Amino acid sequence: MAPLDNVAPSRRLLLKGAAAGAVLFGFHLPYKQALGQAAPAAQVPEINAWVVIHPDDRVVLRMARSEMGQGTRTGLAQMIAEELHCDWSKISTEYVTPGQSLRRNRAWGAFLTAGSQGIRNSQDYVRKGGAAARIMLVEAAAARWGVPAAECSAKDSVITHGPTGRTLRYGEVAADAAKLTPPAEVPLKDPSAWIVINTSKPRLDTAAKTTGSLIYGADLKMPGMLVAVPRRCPVFGGTVRAIDRASASSMPGVRHVLQVGDGAVAVVADTFWQAKMALDALKVEWEVGENGQVSSATIDARLSEGLDAAEAFIGNQNGDARAAIGAAPRKLEAVYSYPFQNHAPMEPMNATVVWTAERCDVWCPTQNGEAALAATAQAAGLPQQQCDIHRVDLGGGFGRRTTHDWLIDAVLIAKQIPGVPIKTMWTREEDMVQGRYHPVTKAKLTAGIDANGEITGLHMRISGQSILSFVFPNALQAGRDPVVFQGLNPTGNDSRIGYNFPNLLIDHAMRNTHVPPHFWRGVNHNQNAVYIECFLDEVAHATGQDPLALRRKLMANHPKHLGVLNAVAERIGWGGPLPEGVQGRGIAQQMGFGSYVAAAADVSVNDQGVLRIHRIVAATDCGYAVNPRQIEMQVEGSFVYGLSALLYGECTVKDGAIEQTNFDTYNMLRMDEMPQVETIVMPSGGFWGGVGEPTIMVAAPAVLNAIFAATGKRIRTVPLKDQDLRRA
């Protein structure tokens, strides 16, 4: 194979070459492409923006959404292939760039891959892309035969003329089809006719992951590339006061010691290790200001004050909850809390950038290519038309890579070294202390209970951060953050509460801190499900009711919520004898990201307070199931993430800085701690729900309720590593 800097192959060819090399630790991009000079256009017919077909019938499906382990690549391919009627064995995929989309009037729609919307929010137009391509291929074949298109059909990349039995392969007519005008009306199949959607197709990236040939941002290499390792002020909002470059500048391999904006420094060297060692030796004085006085204790005090504050934003209200509670013969009250948590993806933040006065090209893992392009252009000081983002797969995202602070710094570093490929690579420690964290909140729940043990009124006061205040302040509604109330909304198709109370008030006392919050897999559903589901469990036990029976009474008007709840209750054997070794059983449900989910858990706690989660049964109604086995894997993976958060996930603040700097202080679930997971995929049809995030939110409350059933001890503060679980 010729050296890559002497050719200008497509990214697809580069990946193919990487795969042929079995285990590969990096690959070189052609130097001309690295400088932003476009490679010659491939002579392969493009049927439309989504479908490219080679003469040998190979089908390339283009992707705008990002793959980060959740299976979006395979799911989107299934939806296109369903309508395209192509040979699945000949499918491959490739990313399009936001620059290409910009030049074509956003032909690929949104690039955002977050909120479990990669499939559900693009399913309509990507399926239409496949259907339109099929229609054009059939029309091209019909024109070649001189017959009506209505007499022709397509299957497995072959077009057949019914009356004569003549056939043409897709590759034979692709060039003709590419010249046709796309159809104005594109009908889609009825779900009853699906043969690709709702089947468990193997994932398209499994082979590359197995061989180690799948390319992540951390793997990228280019001729002449240098590596930058940055460090930002450990206290958010802090700035650089002074830099003593002498200690680092003379170290081996060091090329540059830079200040990056007002608040960061970076060392640029020949290798990552040289840059890191020099950065460790670099002497920097920081100006931290008042934020240096903040601690977890001061933040907790501020949130506690908000629990009884007079002013709050209302998220859900019916009747007069305060009056009903005041008049009730019995009142039950509890305070719960939920900490900062780190996204902690396995691949630290990174980006490879080539900046010149005329152009800026970036190779990076991002969850939103269009937002990355906008951030790049702003930092580069160039129009978006002179920039582009070349995506690679993500080594974890979980919401962290929807924001681009790391990319802005990477561009600012490369801008100081024009024309040279600069890979900015965060250390693990930087990735931990410069995160964008799951918001910290507390909640006080108060219920009025009548003489029959029925809830007459419920007030849920949330006190804590607003994600939108930090990320999208323009999206606030008269100062109110609607995202705070995920899973608690009175109406809507995304995150509706599953209970009816005669009097209800759910409100939010906004108490922001200097620690930046962000969307974290499951977002505010995670704590909201703990708050409402565990408190209802408290009410049930306090009034002598079965927790499942109480929920069923409150869910009479919510059949889909009730459907998943009943499914897990039946599967786990609710009300029956506990299996040997199991001491307690808990249950929870929630609606989020358009899907209905529930979980039931079996646990035990030994005399030393060591928790064992034996089994979790999870049910998901996501409307339509594109790939049932992939959904099962997402549910299992979401429990790893959600249970890690429940057991260990906590970021604390001292002197204004995050204290947890690596996985030795921010622990993750180990294999021997993972419970048996049984997934019930029960699509009821008629809507498209998300899959990657919803089941996270019921993992914690189901286990917490099971712990109470096992020990008689109610745990209201997460994570469990800080709690004494020994029997009450």
Side-chain angles (χ1 to χ4, degrees):
M1 183 175 179
L4 288 179
D5 52 359
N6 293 331
V7 297
S10 67
R11 182 177 182 275
R12 183 168 64 257
L13 178 59
L14 287 170
L15 292 182
K16 181 179 178 182
V23 179
L24 189 69
F25 296 98
F27 75 100
H28 292 278
L29 291 173
Y31 193 59
K32 289 182 179 179
Q33 187 177 345
L35 293 177
Q37 300 175 18
Q43 300 301 310
V44 180
E46 175 194 274
I47 311 303
N48 59 28
W50 302 97
V51 179
V52 174
I53 298 180
H54 290 254
D56 62 0
D57 296 334
R58 284 181 293 126
V59 178
V60 180
L61 305 180
R62 289 173 170 163
M63 301 287 156
R65 310 285 181 162
S66 297
E67 177 61 56
M68 50 188 164
Q70 81 282 35
T72 289
R73 171 187 286 117
T74 304
L76 288 172
Q78 284 184 250
M79 290 195 293
I80 299 172
E82 180 67 70
E83 298 289 345
L84 182 58
H85 294 190
C86 61
D87 182 346
W88 180 262
S89 69
K90 296 183 178 179
I91 282 177
S92 63
T93 66
E94 69 178 13
Y95 285 133
V96 293
T97 73
Q100 289 173 301
S101 193
L102 181 66
R103 291 190 293 273
R104 295 176 59 167
N105 195 28
R106 297 192 76 230
W108 287 276
F111 279 61
L112 177 65
T113 313
S116 295
Q117 59 184 301
I119 286 178
R120 66 185 174 119
N121 281 10
S122 60
Q123 55 81 22
D124 180 74
Y125 57 80
V126 299
R127 287 191 292 145
K128 286 181 177 177
R134 184 196 75 244
I135 292 170
M136 295 163 71
L137 288 159
V138 170
E139 287 180 352
R144 185 173 297 187
W145 289 322
V147 301
E151 295 181 354
C152 303
S153 62
K155 181 180 180 181
D156 293 335
S157 296
V158 176
I159 303 152
T160 301
H161 180 228
T164 65
R166 286 178 294 180
T167 61
L168 283 169
R169 295 179 295 100
Y170 277 8
E172 294 179 284
V173 296
D176 293 343
K179 299 173 185 176
L180 298 177
T181 301
E185 298 294 328
V186 185
L188 295 173
K189 286 184 182 180
D190 185 86
S192 62
W194 286 342
I195 59 174
V196 181
I197 297 175
N198 200 31
T199 62
S200 297
K201 295 288 188 185
R203 286 182 54 152
L204 297 174
D205 53 7
T206 299
K209 287 182 175 179
T210 303
T211 63
S213 61
L214 188 65
I215 300 301
Y216 296 95
D219 302 319
L220 290 171
K221 295 179 181 177
M222 294 184 185
M225 185 179 78
L226 300 177
V227 180
V229 178
R231 177 177 297 152
R232 185 161 283 279
C233 180
V235 177
F236 293 103
T239 57
V240 176
R241 179 188 296 164
I243 307 173
D244 181 357
R245 291 174 167 82
S247 56
S249 297
S250 60
M251 294 182 69
V254 173
R255 302 295 189 92
H256 306 274
V257 177
L258 306 173
Q259 181 168 338
V260 187
D262 295 330
V265 297
V267 173
V268 183
D270 293 334
T271 69
F272 169 82
W273 190 250
Q274 290 172 331
K276 179 189 181 302
M277 296 304 292
L279 185 67
D280 290 344
L282 186 65
K283 298 177 182 178
V284 183
E285 294 182 31
W286 305 104
E287 181 63 57
V288 300
E290 294 183 358
N291 289 341
Q293 305 298 315
V294 178
S295 68
S296 289
T298 63
I299 292 172
D300 185 73
R302 179 163 166 73
L303 268 58
S304 295
E305 172 271 325
L307 292 177
D308 297 306
E311 300 295 325
F313 296 103
I314 295 174
N316 190 353
Q317 182 178 28
N318 65 267
D320 190 338
R322 294 183 191 275
I325 294 168
R330 184 180 180 187
K331 186 173 74 171
L332 189 67
E333 183 175 284
V335 174
Y336 285 78
S337 61
Y338 205 91
F340 293 117
Q341 292 175 334
N342 200 310
H343 296 83
M346 287 303 295
E347 179 189 27
M349 301 301 109
N350 67 86
T352 300
V353 183
V354 180
W355 183 92
T356 69
E358 295 77 29
R359 184 166 181 84
C360 185
D361 278 275
V362 174
W363 290 261
C364 71
T366 172
Q367 290 180 244
N368 190 347
E370 290 179 304
L373 178 63
T376 293
Q378 182 177 12
L382 295 168
Q384 289 191 28
Q385 291 80 0
Q386 293 173 232
C387 304
D388 213 344
I389 305 295
H390 310 278
R391 286 176 299 153
V392 291
D393 281 7
L394 288 65
F398 315 119
R400 178 63 179 96
R401 285 182 162 101
T402 61
T403 189
H404 294 97
D405 51 300
W406 47 275
L407 176 55
I408 291 170
D409 281 356
V411 174
L412 292 176
I413 292 168
K415 193 175 180 180
Q416 298 183 59
I417 314 171
V420 178
I422 306 295
K423 176 159 71 174
T424 295
M425 189 79 189
W426 282 21
T427 62
R428 174 66 61 197
E429 290 76 13
E430 189 74 0
D431 202 77
M432 297 297 287
V433 303
Q434 294 297 333
R436 299 292 185 262
Y437 300 87
H438 188 292
V440 62
T441 63
K442 296 173 78 78
K444 178 187 284 187
L445 296 100
T446 310
I449 300 171
D450 67 16
N452 297 318
E454 303 298 330
I455 297 174
T456 61
L458 176 66
H459 180 201
M460 178 176 176
R461 163 62 63 84
I462 303 169
S463 177
Q465 286 182 295
S466 155
I467 296 174
L468 291 187
S469 291
F470 179 78
V471 181
F472 301 123
N474 292 338
L476 294 173
Q477 300 172 353
R480 170 183 172 274
D481 182 350
V483 178
V484 166
F485 303 101
Q486 287 181 310
L488 305 171
N489 293 309
T491 59
N493 296 321
D494 190 79
S495 56
R496 188 170 63 251
I497 194 169
Y499 303 109
N500 282 107
F501 300 98
N503 297 279
L504 176 67
L505 174 61
I506 301 176
D507 53 14
H508 174 224
M510 191 181 296
R511 296 295 184 270
N512 291 323
T513 80
H514 77 299
V515 178
H518 201 67
F519 303 102
W520 187 102
R521 189 178 183 186
V523 201
N524 291 312
H525 284 286
N526 296 318
Q527 69 267 21
N528 289 348
V530 167
Y531 299 159
I532 189 72
E533 290 298 308
C534 290
F535 187 68
L536 284 179
D537 205 72
E538 292 200 47
V539 172
H541 286 283
T543 57
Q545 300 183 68
D546 176 80
L548 175 61
L550 172 63
R551 286 176 171 82
R552 283 173 169 166
K553 284 194 297 185
L554 297 171
M555 297 171 74
N557 297 325
H558 302 275
K560 291 190 182 297
H561 293 79
L562 183 58
V564 291
L565 186 73
N566 284 337
V568 299
E570 179 181 356
R571 176 70 66 87
I572 207 164
W574 190 272
L578 297 177
E580 184 178 355
V582 173
Q583 299 168 340
R585 178 169 283 165
I587 200 165
Q589 68 80 34
Q590 183 91 327
M591 181 202 183
F593 307 100
S595 290
Y596 303 83
V597 295
D602 283 346
V603 310
S604 63
V605 180
N606 69 17
D607 292 340
Q608 289 73 46
V610 177
L611 170 68
R612 180 185 173 192
I613 308 170
H614 295 257
R615 177 187 180 207
I616 293 182
V617 176
T620 297
D621 180 358
C622 51
Y624 294 117
V626 176
N627 188 314
R629 177 56 187 139
Q630 193 160 277
I631 293 173
E632 292 176 9
M633 290 189 287
Q634 278 293 283
V635 171
E636 293 163 3
S638 75
F639 282 161
V640 176
Y641 206 72
L643 294 176
S644 291
L646 171 64
L647 270 62
Y648 304 115
E650 180 184 33
C651 294
T652 54
V653 179
K654 181 180 180 182
D655 298 329
I658 295 294
E659 292 188 277
Q660 290 70 29
T661 61
N662 210 315
F663 288 125
D664 59 336
T665 49
Y666 193 78
N667 205 356
M668 296 287 160
L669 193 75
R670 298 301 195 266
M671 291 183 70
D672 62 349
E673 298 172 298
M674 185 65 189
Q676 173 189 347
V677 176
E678 298 175 32
T679 302
I680 306 170
V681 182
M682 44 187 297
S684 59
F687 64 96
W688 294 84
V691 171
E693 295 175 89
T695 48
I696 287 181
M697 53 207 183
V698 289
V703 170
L704 288 170
N705 290 336
I707 290 172
F708 175 80
T711 66
K713 181 171 288 188
R714 186 66 65 179
I715 305 299
R716 301 188 182 98
T717 300
V718 172
L720 297 184
K721 70 179 180 65
D722 299 328
Q723 309 302 321
D724 181 359
L725 300 185
R726 289 174 294 180
R727 290 173 184 80

